[in-house]
Amino acid sequence: MRTGTIVLAVFGLGWWLAGASTLAWPGMPVTAAVGSAVACGLVVSAFRHRPAAGGGPLGDTAVRRTFNRVNAAQWIAIVAVVAAANALGAVACIPGLIAVIIGLHFLPLARLFEQPAFRVTAALLVAAGLAGVFVGAAGGSPAAARIVVAFPAALILWGTASAGRLLHRLGGKARGRAGA
């Protein structure tokens, strides 16, 4: 549970800062500070609880191997999509396409970690990504497309981390493998 919360908090912060970077002064630093505080709060909450015995689900070699493959495929897909979008002059679509890929990568993780809630995370990230692709494809600026995707993506990831923490606290262990 701890590692998953930290990963979701950090990547949520990355999306939040991407959205904040589209804002003018003083909105950008204030928004960045708020996002940083949220991410830090999640990380601190993760460290307030003991990690799962045996290193959590990633302590299992087969689970770790599958997890690594899913993430490698995600990063390869992101690099390929960014290169293709740049080559095609569809730069404004990049944030949305990345969010779609990240959302899709949660589907095998839902099964791997026995976390059905990751399917909701996947659907929401894909929806946010498609909204950004639509803005970019309709002629919106890269900044407009980024803001449409970035803030929702951050909130989705932070919401997933928060829900996981809450379920962990209420039930001792969220349904499935708690280390996700």
Side-chain angles (χ1 to χ4, degrees):
M1 190 77 222
R2 177 190 289 190
T3 302
T5 299
I6 294 167
V7 168
L8 291 167
V10 169
F11 280 103
L13 178 59
W15 278 110
W16 189 265
L17 294 176
S21 72
T22 65
L23 304 176
W25 181 267
M28 190 276 289
V30 170
T31 303
V34 168
S36 297
V38 170
C40 285
L42 284 167
V43 169
V44 167
S45 101
F47 278 105
R48 293 184 70 197
H49 301 281
R50 289 180 301 145
L58 292 178
D60 179 310
T61 303
V63 171
R64 186 175 52 251
R65 185 178 13 252
T66 301
F67 175 79
N68 289 339
R69 287 178 182 157
V70 167
N71 280 293
Q74 172 194 232
W75 286 107
I76 290 166
I78 288 171
V79 168
V81 162
V82 168
N86 273 305
L88 296 170
V91 175
C93 295
I94 291 173
L97 294 168
I98 291 172
V100 168
I101 293 166
I102 293 169
L104 292 174
H105 115 285
F106 273 94
L107 293 174
L109 295 182
R111 191 177 77 212
L112 180 67
F113 292 126
E114 299 172 11
Q115 294 290 330
F118 282 178
R119 291 185 188 103
V120 175
T121 302
L124 293 172
L125 284 170
V126 168
L130 291 175
V133 170
F134 177 78
V135 169
S141 70
R146 189 172 8 156
I147 204 165
V148 164
V149 176
F151 288 125
L155 294 173
I156 293 161
L157 294 175
W158 289 339
T160 301
S162 298
R165 297 296 319 149
L166 181 62
L167 289 172
H168 185 73
R169 290 169 89 184
L170 292 176
K173 197 182 207 193
R175 182 176 181 268
R177 300 179 185 186

